[in-house]
Amino acid sequence: MQKEVSADKAPDKSSPIDEDRRSNAPEELDITTIRFAGDSGDGMQLLGTRFANTSAVFGKDVMTLAEYPAEIRAPAGTIAGVSGFQLSMGPQDIYTAGDMVDVLVVMNPAALKSNLEHVKEDGILIVNEDTFTAKNLKKVGYDENPLENHALAGYRVFPVGISRLTALALEPLGVEREQVNKSKNLFALGLICWLFNMPLDNTLNWLKTKFGKKPDVIKANTEALIAGNKYGDSNQLFATSYVIKKREKQKQPGTYRYLNGNSALSMGLITAANRADLHLFLGSYPITPASDILHELSRHKEFPVTTFQAEDEIAAIGAAIGASFSGSLAVTSTSGPGMALKTEFIGLAVSIELPLVIINVQRGGPSTGLPTKMEQSDLFQALWSRPGECPLIILAANSPKDCFDTAIEACRLTLKYMTPVIILSDGYIANGSEAWRIPSMDDLPEMKNEFYTNAKKFHPYQRDSKTLARPWAIPGTPGLEHRVGGLEKEDITGGVDQSADNHAKMVHFRAEKVARVVADIPPLEIEGDKDADLLVVGWGSSYGAITRAVMNATDDNVSVASVHLRHLSPLPQDLGDILKRYKNVLIVENNLGQLWTLLRSIYLVDAKLLSKVNGVPFKISEIESKIHEMVKG
Amino acid sequence: MAEAIEQKELVRKDYVSDVEVRWCVGCGDYGILKSFTVAMAKLQLPKEKVCIVSGIGCSSRFPYYVDTYGFHSVHGRAPAVATGIKLTQPDLSVWVITGDGDALSIGGNHFIHMLRRNPDINMILFNNQIYGLTKGQASPTSPIGKITKSTPFGLIDGPMHPLPMALTAGATFVARVPDTDGAMITDILMQAHKHKGVAFVEILQNCNIFNDGAWFPIAKKANRAENSIVLKHGEPMTFGADNTKGFRLNGMNIEVVDMEKDGVDISELLVHDAQSQDATLAFKLANLAHPEFPYPVGVFRQVEAPVYESGVRKQEHEVAEKFGNADVEKMLHSGETWQVEA
Ligand SMILES: Cc1ncc(C[n+]2csc(CCOP(=O)(O)OP(=O)(O)O)c2C)c(N)n1
Ligand code: SF4
Ligand SMILES: [Mg+2]
């Protein structure tokens, strides 16, 4: 059986690269990784998304990774302008978008040059040969055409005249050249669907809904899709086609859909507000890779959802706090630079003890950094970047679909404890997609919410004895008129009080309130061999790579355990004991060691660090080899 | 019980909170607070329906002193908080209290954007031409040459003029009033409340500790008749002890005329039109400076325009009508789904 990634060389039998075979029966594959790359104008994200969607609908487990440049249109044909989309699919649970690629589809020389390093030895290259002109080759520094010399000797290369063939297919329609150009990616999709024996129906349906009012576009795209598909069928170019094996272990029964992390977050927020019977309010300012949350929620005003595109991130959170004060379930979404701007208002929200969900879809920093790339380097920012002692709840989502559950959990906790919650997501899972079993409403937690109304015994800072939450008394309620603000307030009455003892008391209350959330955190689940000597610890989007690496190591009879943190503030109650049970602890994170520093300082464990900060998620193999190295000692 | 509260006639004192007022003795803010509570009582606004949001500054302590809902937020950004409140509860009477530093310096961006969106929020700017709370630094409205703690050799930065700014940002109600005229403050605040859309009111406020007398030439009772001109919609623009002086248009410019000395008939004077869609007149008036001109006070502009939160709500309803009401299950199952059978 092929492992999800691991080796750089594809194993013989399952590899899609068996030259000698020429049979009509498709070859069966295990986990397979495919990457599409082209100019940012070539529609690679769409091509990838459609193929991933088709595979998912067709019952394959899929996970995707979108890699696109920060510029909308870098100069055509340049390396800077290359946009890529990778997916891994297979007959078992898929945890990452894959390490090395089995099949690379490239639309131009720049895409080939910048992506070749990701391809396994002997991997398949499907190349749009029409773009390999002298001019384009020169742009990316190819002295010779790699399709014509021996540069690609280690691969199976399939040059296809994608541009020419698309033009030919659309000729009878008499469409503009621009449209031919836009339909190329559908030709490629048709071809790759043929290669993997995937049906075209759902893409055909999608075209109809997507371009409903433009029959010409539907027609052109349909023709291109079918032409690509027929090209595979009628051409002797490929020795064989492939199918992904049937699943051995049945997936949990239910209705599934395919979605990315930002959609999952948005739907989680709407679902939570609906269950709590609250108006959902989003204050936001566009920023990559968080903007899609604003887009998605803006499409769902019927719930009702109010989305406020503010003049900046400060106003976005300010409006959210105002909305919370007056009774909305309020959310603000951004990425690192926007978080920096929100700092002062986050402190206010902690001080006035109102519910608020703050979403940081992390990207590479500091400053503008890598807008379109992932990183997990805002943990310290979430924990500490505010004046004063300013604790709040921090949760991290670990996969695209987990964003839904994380959103629900964030809303539940913020309403229960009346204190802000930060959700940390990142560019990988925000834009990455996977199959998701749609939960039934009965599976979701209760989210009861009642505004305070009893005017007889109202004190704005009177606390619930268990959670220390203060009452949520909203304007419009007769008899509860009161003032809130950022000045230190007196315990119980909420009046301004700057006296020494009172301040100390309030600082402790705010800290204690967050500390008490541990009662709400379920016991940690240890995966792999619980009795191993080595424990791998991660948080956020590294979940998939860590989990698969531990599974692979276990298959190789290497004993290792892993634990993944969703709650980063407060940390789970049982974490300390678990860490101390293991001889070696390895912390894996996409930063220079933020969780590592935290856990070492809190629990005094001599944990080791596996760090990666190049803007891309961990490969399974990277974690796996570190595990091997540590177990060998 | 709720009804009982609504039925009782409210008096000014009902709007006064039991928090001890901490402004300096003699500060202009006291008079504004009093006129505000008088306006509340005259309007008979249910206390629970009023929400006062402020930034940071001496002026921004205001919400603590009024027994309604109140929110003392962060420096400069009360407009953002107020907008969130208004979008959640459109039927609240929402007031933003701000200072010249709060609104025009750190909060300049939010000030402009709240005005251009036109929510039904009333913003009162306490302009004392100084940073009061931080003990006397230059503010964006301090005049060139001003000696303050932060400008011991005189201020070099040119000042910002709040009214022209507000008009340019698209404010639909714009007024100015001196802190010495309590009745006028009450009247203008009541008009601001009744105006549907954003209302911006600048109050010329005296900070007797750090900038005493900055507005005296205009605002002192004895000087008001000669050095200010009260704008009244539909009436000729006159001023002076006997109302014998006025504004006349000369080409593109406003000029001061003395009807008796210059032999000018009142019919030749400019007639104030606050309701003109064209803001040119309001803008010209807002740019007049003392001592070249008497300083205009009163309502400069009041026009109808779509109200922000109404538009937002309307769109939400329209979307609900078009696509059907909230159905979480439907949303979760939208798009392509597939079944895994047991
Ligand atoms: C972020 C931030 N920066 C600075 C301050 C300090 N500060 C408080 S009030 C103020 C200026 C207030 O001036 P103004 O708005 O004119 O109000 P006034 O006190 O004159 O009524 C400043 C600079 C602060 N509270 N917060
Ligand atoms: S410092 Fe000036 S503005 Fe502040 S309270 Fe004193 S007099 Fe009023
Ligand atoms: Mg001031």
Side-chain angles (χ1 to χ4, degrees):
Chain A
M1 185 169 94
Q2 187 186 357
K3 282 183 202 161
E4 187 172 340
V5 164
S6 66
D8 283 1
K9 190 166 158 75
D12 293 348
K13 276 294 168 207
S14 54
S15 130
I17 25 170
D18 195 342
E19 284 256 308
D20 302 329
R21 281 205 191 181
R22 261 178 202 281
S23 77
N24 288 329
E27 191 179 322
E28 287 201 333
L29 301 180
D30 204 312
I31 294 170
T32 304
T33 299
I34 305 173
R35 192 176 178 95
F36 303 96
D39 217 39
S40 38
D42 284 339
M44 292 298 99
Q45 302 301 325
L46 185 124
L47 164 54
T49 305
R50 287 318 309 163
F51 186 68
N53 205 310
T54 301
S55 320
V57 173
F58 207 51
K60 309 302 156 206
D61 220 40
V62 182
M63 180 115 178
T64 72
L65 167 72
E67 276 191 356
Y68 52 97
E71 297 77 18
I72 298 303
R73 285 285 166 88
T78 61
I79 301 265
V82 174
S83 167
F85 187 100
Q86 183 167 320
L87 66 96
S88 203
M89 59 177 176
Q92 46 179 300
D93 291 344
I94 296 286
Y95 290 94
T96 76
D99 286 10
M100 297 298 279
V101 172
D102 296 293
V103 179
L104 174 68
V105 180
V106 292
M107 301 302 268
N108 67 9
L112 177 67
K113 188 155 191 190
S114 56
N115 282 283
L116 202 56
E117 56 170 339
H118 301 299
V119 185
K120 286 180 189 167
E121 227 176 274
D122 276 353
I124 289 187
L125 305 179
I126 298 174
V127 183
N128 180 7
E129 62 178 358
D130 297 336
T131 58
F132 281 62
T133 59
K135 195 172 134 211
N136 285 346
L137 291 166
K138 209 173 135 218
K139 254 188 216 169
V140 296
Y142 274 128
D143 293 332
E144 285 178 58
N145 187 344
L147 300 178
E148 287 163 6
N149 62 19
H150 293 290
L152 305 176
Y155 308 95
R156 292 187 50 190
V157 187
F158 298 95
V160 181
I162 294 179
S163 309
R164 199 169 30 85
L165 291 165
T166 307
L168 206 64
L170 301 192
E171 206 173 61
L173 302 180
V175 295
E176 303 275 323
R177 235 184 91 184
E178 177 75 349
Q179 184 58 54
V180 174
N181 212 20
K182 280 188 183 158
S183 296
K184 279 190 326 248
N185 58 346
L186 280 134
F187 183 96
L189 178 59
L191 178 58
I192 200 88
C193 281
W194 173 83
L195 190 63
F196 284 92
N197 285 281
M198 298 282 183
L200 301 182
D201 324 8
N202 82 320
T203 301
L204 290 170
N205 287 337
W206 174 83
L207 283 171
K208 280 184 205 134
T209 354
K210 170 91 183 171
F211 300 106
K213 293 205 183 83
K214 298 180 187 154
D216 294 355
V217 179
I218 299 178
K219 186 88 184 116
N221 284 333
T222 304
E223 288 299 320
L225 180 75
I226 291 171
N229 203 249
K230 280 197 180 142
Y231 179 81
D233 213 12
S234 62
N235 206 287
Q236 290 291 304
L237 191 62
F238 295 96
T240 178
S241 67
Y242 305 97
V243 286
I244 302 296
K245 275 188 198 148
K246 264 195 130 59
R247 272 187 86 91
E248 295 145 26
K249 230 172 80 198
Q250 173 76 338
K251 256 180 126 60
Q252 195 187 356
T255 307
Y256 282 76
R257 65 176 290 167
Y258 168 86
L259 88 177
N260 70 30
N262 276 345
S263 302
L265 261 178
S266 310
M267 286 196 255
L269 295 171
I270 291 175
T271 306
N274 194 263
R275 286 180 74 72
D277 202 13
L278 290 170
H279 191 118
L280 184 65
F281 182 97
L282 176 78
S284 194
Y285 185 80
I287 185 168
T288 305
S291 302
D292 281 340
I293 298 167
L294 169 63
H295 305 163
E296 181 77 19
L297 289 180
S298 298
R299 291 175 50 231
H300 285 295
K301 306 216 159 176
E302 71 274 16
F303 276 91
V305 174
T306 300
T307 54
F308 176 64
Q309 182 180 331
E311 54 271 27
D312 60 24
E313 282 89 347
I314 308 179
I317 185 174
I321 290 173
S324 172
F325 178 62
S326 42
S328 287
L329 175 55
V331 182
T332 187
S333 55
T334 188
S335 187
M339 281 300 277
L341 291 178
K342 291 178 193 296
T343 302
E344 187 186 10
F345 259 132
I346 297 177
L348 179 72
V350 167
S351 168
I352 59 179
E353 305 189 33
L354 282 173
L356 178 68
V357 175
I358 303 154
I359 300 169
N360 177 0
V361 185
Q362 300 165 96
R363 60 192 221 181
S367 189
T368 309
L370 308 175
T372 60
K373 301 275 157 69
M374 67 84 65
E375 211 163 81
Q376 299 181 291
S377 45
D378 297 347
L379 176 59
F380 281 174
Q381 185 195 38
L383 279 164
W384 294 312
S385 78
R386 292 170 292 281
E389 293 292 350
C390 195
L392 40 63
I393 301 169
I394 304 172
L395 306 179
N398 66 36
S399 74
K401 64 184 177 205
D402 185 57
C403 286
F404 181 86
D405 297 327
T406 307
I408 301 260
E409 176 72 349
C411 295
R412 186 180 75 86
L413 293 178
T414 200
L415 292 171
K416 182 168 175 185
Y417 290 89
M418 293 285 287
T419 201
V421 177
I422 291 180
I423 295 178
L424 294 174
S425 171
D426 67 47
Y428 171 32
I429 54 179
N431 290 315
S433 298
E434 64 181 328
W436 175 56
R437 187 177 155 276
I438 303 169
S440 102
M441 289 301 113
D442 307 334
D443 299 344
L444 301 177
E446 276 285 331
M447 211 124 17
K448 268 218 290 289
N449 162 67
E450 272 165 30
F451 295 122
Y452 194 86
T453 52
N454 186 352
K456 286 213 183 91
K457 18 181 252 203
F458 175 62
H459 297 290
Y461 276 76
Q462 179 98 54
R463 294 172 188 282
D464 180 279
S465 59
K466 234 165 106 191
T467 61
L468 299 184
R470 75 177 191 88
W472 195 4
I474 62 170
T477 320
L480 304 190
E481 296 81 13
H482 67 284
R483 274 65 60 193
V484 295
L487 285 168
E488 187 61 279
K489 39 223 134 271
E490 189 182 45
D491 181 25
I492 301 176
T493 69
V496 174
D497 183 350
Q498 318 245 337
S499 66
D501 288 351
N502 177 70
H503 175 59
K505 194 171 173 186
M506 295 302 278
V507 167
H508 283 294
F509 266 138
R510 288 186 287 260
E512 172 66 15
K513 180 156 94 155
V514 172
R516 286 194 188 185
V517 174
V518 295
D520 253 292
I521 305 178
L524 286 166
E525 279 174 32
I526 301 175
E527 297 191 32
D529 177 6
K530 288 179 184 54
D531 300 323
D533 284 342
L534 173 63
L535 176 75
V536 182
V537 183
W539 64 280
S541 70
S542 56
Y543 172 74
I546 293 175
T547 305
R548 182 52 83 172
V550 167
M551 286 166 81
N552 288 350
T554 308
D555 286 348
D556 289 346
N557 292 320
V558 171
S559 171
V560 56
S562 70
V563 76
H564 209 76
L565 304 180
R566 172 200 292 292
H567 298 83
L568 295 161
S569 169
L571 288 161
Q573 216 158 8
D574 49 352
L575 179 60
D577 285 345
I578 291 172
L579 290 176
K580 282 168 192 161
R581 280 216 298 275
Y582 290 83
K583 205 168 124 213
N584 298 307
V585 175
L586 173 67
I587 292 168
V588 176
E589 51 186 338
N590 288 98
N591 59 49
L592 293 182
Q594 301 189 6
L595 182 70
W596 177 71
T597 307
L598 190 72
L599 298 190
R600 283 170 66 98
S601 78
I602 296 178
Y603 301 109
L604 303 176
V605 289
D606 185 17
K608 299 288 180 282
L609 170 69
L610 178 61
S611 140
K612 181 173 184 179
V613 286
N614 66 350
V616 290
F618 277 101
K619 286 185 170 157
I620 296 165
S621 55
E622 290 164 344
I623 301 172
E624 224 179 308
S625 44
K626 186 74 187 175
I627 291 172
H628 282 277
E629 181 195 311
M630 283 186 71
V631 168
K632 266 190 230 132
Chain B
M1 180 176 163
E3 270 173 32
I5 288 176
E6 270 166 37
Q7 276 162 14
K8 195 185 104 204
E9 163 124 13
L10 289 157
V11 296
R12 190 186 83 79
K13 282 247 163 66
D14 291 324
Y15 295 95
V16 178
S17 81
D18 53 11
V19 175
E20 185 198 343
V21 183
R22 293 274 191 87
W23 289 313
C24 307
V25 176
C27 174
D29 291 355
Y30 282 95
I32 305 172
L33 175 61
K34 177 149 188 218
S35 306
F36 180 89
T37 48
V38 170
M40 290 288 115
K42 285 197 173 180
L43 291 164
Q44 284 294 301
L45 292 182
K47 295 202 297 179
E48 72 275 11
K49 288 289 187 194
V50 178
C51 188
I52 307 174
V53 191
S54 64
I56 303 291
C58 294
S59 37
S60 287
R61 296 290 173 104
F62 193 95
Y64 290 117
Y65 308 137
V66 186
D67 194 21
T68 61
Y69 284 91
F71 198 140
H72 183 213
S73 74
V74 297
H75 197 18
R77 318 198 193 275
V81 176
T83 302
I85 292 171
K86 195 71 186 174
L87 282 171
T88 299
Q89 292 202 39
D91 62 342
L92 291 178
S93 173
V94 180
W95 299 78
V96 168
I97 306 293
T98 185
D100 38 323
D102 196 64
L104 303 175
S105 194
I106 194 167
N109 196 24
H110 311 306
F111 164 75
I112 293 170
H113 286 278
M114 183 175 83
L115 297 185
R116 64 114 171 156
R117 290 191 184 102
N118 197 37
D120 189 12
I121 293 173
N122 314 304
M123 182 181 210
I124 314 179
L125 188 153
F126 293 33
N127 185 2
N128 54 13
Q129 302 182 32
I130 199 85
Y131 281 10
L133 191 69
T134 45
K135 299 191 167 41
Q137 299 83 5
S139 100
T141 55
S142 302
I144 288 179
K146 178 84 185 167
I147 308 280
T148 71
K149 277 193 192 144
S150 60
T151 58
F153 303 108
L155 177 67
I156 294 167
D157 322 29
M160 187 179 257
H161 302 290
L163 258 55
M165 285 269 301
L167 288 163
T168 307
T172 51
F173 180 101
V174 175
R176 177 194 282 150
V177 50
D179 62 353
T180 49
D181 192 340
M184 188 169 169
I185 296 173
T186 298
D187 173 50
I188 283 188
L189 295 185
M190 288 170 71
Q191 289 190 52
H193 170 78
K194 286 174 187 153
H195 172 70
K196 290 276 157 269
V198 81
F200 175 73
V201 180
E202 178 194 16
I203 302 190
L204 312 179
Q205 178 238 326
N206 191 38
C207 167
N208 56 307
I209 302 297
F210 298 110
N211 200 14
D212 196 25
W215 295 111
F216 279 2
I218 295 155
K220 247 205 160 126
K221 217 168 173 185
N223 301 337
R224 286 210 303 251
E226 287 301 326
N227 292 344
S228 71
I229 178 166
V230 182
L231 303 172
K232 292 180 186 140
H233 177 69
E235 293 186 20
M237 298 181 195
T238 61
F239 69 103
D242 312 317
N243 270 330
T244 51
K245 295 186 231 173
F247 283 170
R248 182 171 70 176
L249 206 56
N250 180 358
M252 290 284 282
N253 300 318
I254 289 173
E255 64 178 5
V256 173
V257 293
D258 187 319
M259 288 188 274
E260 285 168 8
K261 266 200 227 146
D262 302 334
V264 172
D265 186 72
I266 192 158
S267 64
E268 291 177 48
L269 297 189
L270 259 172
V271 174
H272 186 42
D273 182 3
Q275 293 167 10
S276 158
Q277 280 300 326
D278 179 355
T280 311
L281 176 64
F283 193 71
K284 284 191 90 62
L285 290 165
N287 273 307
L288 298 181
H290 182 77
E292 293 77 18
F293 291 90
Y295 212 48
V297 296
V299 179
F300 288 60
R301 180 167 168 82
Q302 195 210 337
V303 291
E304 302 263 321
V307 174
Y308 181 57
E309 66 275 12
S310 310
V312 169
R313 275 288 179 281
K314 188 163 158 256
Q315 189 177 62
E316 286 163 11
H317 289 140
E318 281 167 5
V319 171
E321 243 161 51
K322 194 160 160 207
F323 299 108
N325 267 319
D327 184 344
V328 169
E329 303 247 16
K330 200 175 111 197
M331 170 191 68
L332 297 181
H333 287 81
S334 64
E336 290 158 273
T337 61
W338 67 94
Q339 217 59 42
V340 172
E341 306 297 342

